[in-house]
């Protein structure tokens, strides 16, 4: 027997409709690529997104077509998303920090028909233009007055938009239709395309907004420093308007000073980015003596948030740290470390112990950890296993079937991460499955070893990889970038780590390097590191 | 092109699964019908709900079957809901405060196969038993030791449950399948059956949990004084476990003292009920000098929350009042009066002006107000019109097609309420469409007049109805129940109301009565009042 409730499809345009009607005057403040601070309200932004949808329709963009965006966080990038979705097409965010070759590969793989590109990123498109096989048109996100010289088939966004009026209705779509696309960052292999649906974006934004997740309200002023092209922009382009939160968009400038200026001038209450961004901000604050009087919460994810960073935010600047874990394949939020009543009254080191964890899964995210046999392992906060997830915001396949079947028999997606979960549901990532070191049938967490090593005052960065070992299968090698002007020996480091982990976890050797290879999103690239040390043999 | 995200149906069991996994030890505290306070955690409650589903399956309850519950708020009522849904059947909450004839009519109309009934409500079932045409079995929500003598085909819940183990899996259901059923309260006509789907319950619970709606977190301890049989229990049986909030269930005792005892002993942070309940609590507090040190928020809806009540909660007891509007047909939440940034800094009378409004619609609820021509009216906080709503939590039809087509051309449901909406989206109910007084082509709000009249110190209760008038079509009659021992005249009242409304709104006459008729949910029954005054003619 069917229920008798209304059909109301979960399409992304509903979110912007809601913001425009219920929060018409709430603003999106952006540092424009041209320079000045720009302000627009949700009602206007919706009108312009509708106008863009009409313009795309007039141009000939059809349902299911892909349109790339190569852009920083500004109001125009938001309009691009909603306009593209509004005509039934698919926004495809491309990371400008990738190598040009990778960008060309991704755009060709996605078969993007057009690229909407920021003024200062046009040179990238020029560089790869000859390689692009499907792109017909380049829309430069500026006006005619700011257009640079170029030989590409370009139009200036503002003037192109003005060729039509805004009298248009969102295309009516099935909620399961594709809405957006984002390639994984390529830390562990070739990038693969994740295809979000309207439904997954809407449900994910609702879950992400809940009080124990981001807790977004109309009184929040949210600054996504995390770019929209990183893992679906952490959903903030959906969850902020869904709750009528104001948005503050940093544009192309993400140095400590630029970030602080916006945090302060725009009275930002919640901001989000990867740890490296916060490192820059904290250095700026220390250097200048500035403070963060308005900021209430900072969301930190993408890679593990160092304990010292959490401590500094919490104790020096009185900002609540929300450690989070997610992936491109998960829309992207998987867990957020908010405080359940069991831990809400902790403080000091005990609280930091909790905040070091990546947190617990909100409604719509189901987790399990499994052993090599695929059987679930217990949630005791110590036993670790492969982390697998299920839910409406998680991928069931990659674009064009790349990677084949990615779900287990119960429909769970293997995250490629290794984690333990405690009895209250708090999950902690201990490693990537590809990076875990299998020594004599037991698992050693490379991340745990790295976290301890970076605690040594002479260590700037540390990475641990497993190398083949005749007796134990694999043993850990610790690779270290020393701090400038610091001198440190293998013996110093191992003595420092002694007693902080089980004796059999201790690295068999320590190598000193000038630099550790990173991905475009700032993560340690262990594949490259393993290649670099392919011929290494343990000394002792 | 379809998105490539997982199919994960929005069925209600997901909510309890989440609570059991992520909040296994969070408790549901109930005042049991047998007397003592009872405690159970979500993990156990889920196990018992699965056991009940298995028991119902063994008995022969099938997908789409209806099972009535005639019960107060306790853990067993929660188990009944989830157990019934878990086997694919439909929980049908019945209001024990209705006249027995109405209960029999509703149970027959729903074709319930069984009734799960509280110990102290069994006499109702006995009284109507001979009229019931479809009920086969009566499950008394107690154990064998507490079973009363009866001639009905009864089983004691606990012992019946114990006949099976808990090894069962939730039935796999389409998210659009019916999950629950609730009849409207019959204020304006015959009760009609609203049929919730799994999807509508889940989406509604997610929307209701958002920070600007109820803002439920795992740190909340929620007491639904509003019974589960009122308008889908205001969704709290879904939204509390969805967020891991603890639940405090008042059982059969809802007097001021009993409510205060639980609020205090169980450190309740959020509670919800109709204004009459809070009147009793406030009287108890005044009499005893008790306070509300733990309570943070009180949700008040079902009928308009008097300004004086809001003021008392806010200023005397430091409790935030959340005025809300909803209907059985809306799952039920339509609007909640939380504070957007435009009004967040108001205080005193200006804040009360906002809180007198029923609030703004969350994501998933779309509102419009229309004139007699069906065209939308502007949102200026003054122009009123028929309030119409659309969304996944709103009915598209009544059970068995009663009432015919209930949606307009754009898919909006006519609430039967009259309201205005301001530019920030705050809606205020000014009347029921059936009660609005049409005087010379203009509308007069009966509720506005009532609110002013009850401000007179000698008035205990007031109701305004429109009566036929030769010149103006209709004119208002004010009906008053004077306070005990108070003497008051028509002239006193009219002089008091003078200057508080437009002159042409002033009632043409005032009638004094001992009692005003009410529905089972405590609302003024204007149909009955109009019948009572059918032969009345205006004196002046
Ligand atoms: N808070 C965190 N702590 C530790 N690791 C994290 C955290 N947040 C995210 N990660 C890591 O980032 C991964 C998701 O990143 P993303 O989807 O951007 O691509 P990637 O996994 O780095 O690249 P690829 O999948 O192409 O190898 C997670 O699987 C996890 O390994
Ligand atoms: N905060 C409020 N202020 C004023 N009226 C309210 C409020 N909340 C609810 N109501 C009224 O209650 C109605 C919904 O109540 P409910 O669904 O319980 O049944 P009913 O409308 O009273 O009965 P029936 O539909 O059978 O006539 C709304 O349509 C509205 O008229
Ligand atoms: Mg990955
Ligand atoms: Mg009604």
């Amino acid at each position: 027997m069917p229920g008798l409730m209304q059909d109301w499809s979960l399409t992304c345009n509903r979110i912007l409709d809601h913001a425009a009607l219920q929060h018409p005057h709430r603003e999106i403040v952006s540092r424009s690529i041209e320079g000045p601070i720009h302000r627009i309200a949700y009602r206007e932004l919706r009108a312009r997104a509708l106008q863009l949808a009409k313009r795309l329709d007039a141009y000939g963009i059809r349902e299911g077509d892909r349109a790339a965006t190569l852009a920083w966080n500004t109001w125009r990038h938001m309009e691009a998303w909603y306009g593209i979705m509004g005509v039934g097409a698919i926004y495809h965010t491309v990371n400008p920090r990738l190598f040009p070759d990778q960008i060309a590969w991704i755009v060709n793989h996605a078969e993007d028909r057009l690229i909407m590109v920021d003024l200062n990123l046009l040179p990238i498109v020029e560089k790869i233009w000859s390689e692009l096989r499907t792109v017909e048109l380049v829309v430069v996100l500026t006006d005619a007055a700011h257009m640079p010289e170029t030989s590409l088939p370009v139009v200036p966004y503002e003037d192109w938009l003005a060729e039509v009026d805004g009298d248009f209705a969102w295309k009516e779509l099935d909620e399961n239709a594709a809405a957006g696309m984002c390639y994984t960052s390529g830390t562990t292999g070739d990038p693969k395309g994740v295809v979000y649906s309207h439904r997954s974006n809407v449900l994910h934004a609702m879950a992400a907004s809940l009080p124990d997740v981001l807790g977004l309200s109309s009184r929040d002023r949210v600054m996504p420093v995390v770019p929209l092209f990183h893992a679906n922009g952490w959903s903030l382009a959906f969850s902020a308007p869904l709750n009528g939160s104001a948005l503050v968009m940093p544009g192309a400038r993400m140095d400590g000073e630029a970030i602080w200026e916006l945090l302060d001038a725009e009275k930002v209450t919640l901001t989000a980015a990867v740890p490296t961004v916060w490192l820059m901000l904290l250095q700026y604050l220390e250097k200048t003596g500035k403070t963060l009087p308005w900021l209430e919460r900072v969301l930190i994810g993408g890679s593990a948030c160092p304990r010292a960073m959490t401590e500094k935010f919490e104790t020096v600047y009185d900002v609540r740290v929300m450690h989070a874990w997610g992936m491109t394949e998960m829309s992207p939020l998987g867990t957020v470390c908010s405080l359940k009543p069991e831990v809400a009254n902790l403080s000091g080191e005990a609280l930091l112990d909790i905040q070091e964890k990546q947190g617990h899964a909100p409604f719509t995210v189901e987790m399990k950890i499994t052993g090599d046999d695929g059987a679930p392992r217990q949630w005791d906060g110590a036993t670790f296993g492969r982390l697998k997830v299920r839910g409406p915001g998680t991928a069931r396949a990659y674009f064009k079937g790349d990677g084949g079947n990615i779900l287990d028999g119960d429909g769970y997606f293997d995250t490629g991460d290794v984690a333990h979960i405690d009895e209250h549901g708090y999950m902690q990532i201990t490693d990537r499955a590809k990076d875990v070191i299998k020594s004599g049938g037991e698992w050693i967490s490379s991340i745990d070893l790295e976290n301890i090593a970076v605690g040594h005052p002479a260590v700037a960065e540390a990475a641990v990889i497993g190398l083949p070992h005749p007796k134990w299968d694999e043993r850990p090698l610790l690779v270290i970038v020393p701090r400038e002007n610091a001198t440190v020996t293998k013996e110093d480091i191992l003595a420092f780590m002694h007693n902080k982990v089980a004796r059999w976890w201790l690295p068999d050797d320590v190598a000193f390097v000038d630099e550790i290879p990173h991905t475009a999103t700032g993560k340690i690239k262990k594949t490259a590191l393993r290649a670099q040390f392919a011929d290494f043999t343990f000394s002792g």
Side-chain angles (χ1 to χ4, degrees), chain A:
Chain A
M1 178 173 150
L4 295 174
M5 307 308 276
Q6 295 185 13
D7 291 325
W8 193 87
S9 59
L10 301 174
T11 51
C12 297
N13 63 290
R14 307 277 194 192
I15 292 176
L16 196 55
D17 289 347
H18 174 76
L21 205 58
Q22 284 288 342
H23 306 277
H25 310 304
R26 199 89 64 252
E27 58 185 11
I28 297 104
V29 184
S30 309
R31 193 189 292 277
S32 68
I33 307 303
E34 295 87 348
I37 298 292
H38 175 276
R39 291 170 190 276
I40 186 173
Y42 278 123
R43 182 148 65 188
E44 247 178 291
L45 189 113
R46 174 177 179 274
R48 282 170 52 93
L50 271 169
Q51 194 175 351
L52 174 58
K54 183 167 185 167
R55 187 67 194 82
L56 291 166
D57 191 52
Y59 172 79
I61 295 293
R62 296 289 166 256
E63 272 184 47
D65 283 349
R66 271 83 66 201
T69 62
L70 191 69
W72 308 107
N73 291 5
T74 69
W75 80 103
R76 287 195 185 114
H77 200 170
M78 285 271 290
E79 290 168 12
W81 277 30
Y82 282 97
I84 291 167
M85 289 188 287
V87 70
I90 301 164
Y91 65 85
H92 168 210
T93 49
V94 179
N95 184 347
R97 294 178 184 141
L98 293 173
F99 293 116
D101 273 1
Q102 289 178 298
I103 295 181
W105 186 90
I106 286 176
V107 170
N108 285 330
H109 190 269
E111 302 174 42
D112 298 317
R113 284 190 60 195
L114 53 83
I115 299 189
M116 303 184 73
V117 60
D118 265 338
L119 201 49
N120 64 348
L121 297 172
L122 186 58
I124 296 179
V125 182
E126 288 174 324
K127 192 173 296 174
I128 61 173
W129 185 251
S130 63
E131 293 176 56
L132 298 183
R133 289 195 305 267
T134 57
V135 177
E136 306 154 20
L137 180 69
V138 178
V139 181
V140 185
L141 295 166
T142 190
D143 53 24
H146 289 85
M147 278 295 280
E149 283 289 309
T150 179
S151 61
L152 302 188
V154 296
V155 289
Y157 175 70
E158 292 295 341
D159 307 78
W160 192 60
L161 202 60
E163 290 170 14
V164 299
D165 62 29
D167 186 18
F168 195 70
W170 308 118
K171 281 268 189 302
E172 287 197 19
L173 301 167
D174 186 300
E175 68 185 38
N176 290 306
M181 205 149 124
C182 185
Y183 282 72
T184 61
S185 39
T187 309
T188 57
D190 253 354
K192 290 178 287 296
V194 177
V195 187
Y196 308 112
S197 66
H198 283 268
R199 175 181 164 108
S200 69
N201 274 340
V202 171
L203 288 176
H204 179 269
M206 290 180 81
S209 307
L210 293 172
D212 276 333
V213 191
L214 307 189
L216 293 180
S217 88
S218 61
R219 292 166 307 288
D220 274 314
R221 298 179 62 84
V222 176
M223 180 156 82
V225 181
V226 57
L228 290 177
F229 54 75
H230 266 193
N232 211 19
W234 296 12
S235 132
L236 292 165
F238 301 115
S239 49
L242 191 147
N243 296 284
S245 312
L247 274 168
V248 181
M249 298 295 225
R253 284 194 55 201
M254 274 160 284
D255 56 288
E257 182 182 33
I259 292 301
W260 179 82
E261 275 176 18
L262 282 177
L263 289 175
D264 196 63
E266 296 302 329
K267 299 189 170 59
V268 169
T269 60
L270 183 150
T271 182
V274 297
T276 43
V277 165
W278 303 126
L279 211 56
M280 291 191 299
L281 177 70
L282 290 172
Q283 280 166 359
Y284 174 79
L285 296 177
E286 250 163 77
K287 207 178 65 193
T288 57
K290 308 269 195 213
T291 57
L292 301 169
W294 310 106
L295 192 64
E296 296 165 8
R297 288 116 68 212
V298 56
L299 187 69
I300 307 183
S303 55
C305 176
R307 190 177 177 106
M309 180 173 283
T310 303
E311 193 176 8
K312 197 152 280 178
F313 269 119
E314 294 257 345
T315 62
V316 180
Y317 299 104
D318 197 22
V319 173
R320 166 75 357 136
V321 168
M322 302 191 295
H323 194 189
W325 164 83
M327 357 178 27
T328 308
E329 291 91 333
M330 294 186 74
S331 296
L333 286 176
T335 58
V336 173
C337 194
S338 64
L339 302 182
K340 299 187 184 186
E342 290 85 356
V343 300
N345 296 321
L346 297 179
S347 61
E349 297 300 316
L351 178 59
L352 287 173
D353 286 345
I354 298 296
Q355 292 181 305
E356 214 168 348
K357 301 181 186 229
Q358 277 78 3
H360 51 93
F363 179 66
T364 68
V365 175
E366 297 181 294
M367 299 192 295
K368 67 177 178 185
I369 44 175
T370 63
D372 282 330
D373 56 354
R377 294 192 162 173
Q378 72 262 36
W379 290 22
D380 59 11
T383 309
F384 49 83
R386 291 186 80 110
L387 180 61
K388 296 177 180 170
V389 292
R390 198 167 70 170
T394 297
R396 67 164 188 266
Y398 291 107
F399 189 48
K400 296 182 173 172
D402 288 354
N405 172 36
I406 57 173
L407 305 187
D408 75 6
D410 293 320
Y412 281 78
F413 166 75
D414 188 337
T415 63
D417 288 320
V418 173
H420 53 67
I421 308 178
D422 72 20
E423 62 165 327
H424 301 305
Y426 284 84
M427 181 276 289
Q428 183 159 10
I429 300 284
T430 57
D431 226 326
R432 298 243 187 185
K434 290 188 180 174
D435 300 335
V436 84
I437 294 136
K438 299 197 177 174
S439 169
E442 299 286 339
W443 292 8
I444 297 174
S445 157
S446 65
I447 293 185
D448 275 5
L449 293 178
E450 289 159 7
N451 283 343
I452 294 167
V454 291
H456 189 289
V459 173
E461 193 172 15
V464 172
I465 51 174
L467 292 184
H469 189 283
K471 177 161 177 202
W472 300 107
D473 289 338
E474 273 186 359
R475 288 296 300 161
L477 168 71
L478 172 59
V479 183
I480 275 176
V481 181
R483 274 191 201 280
E484 250 177 276
N485 305 322
T487 49
V488 59
T489 64
K490 166 178 168 179
E491 287 67 31
D492 294 340
I493 299 284
L494 290 180
F496 174 79
M497 296 180 75
H498 188 72
N499 278 340
K500 296 197 173 75
V501 286
R503 188 188 289 263
W504 63 274
W505 276 40
L506 279 182
D508 277 28
D509 213 336
V510 182
F512 295 90
V513 296
D514 291 340
E515 210 180 0
I516 283 176
H518 287 95
T519 67
T521 53
K523 301 179 189 189
I524 296 176
K525 191 144 190 161
K526 296 210 175 166
T527 43
L529 204 61
R530 270 191 290 265
Q532 191 176 326
F533 285 91
D535 298 329
F536 185 91
T537 44
F538 289 113
S539 57

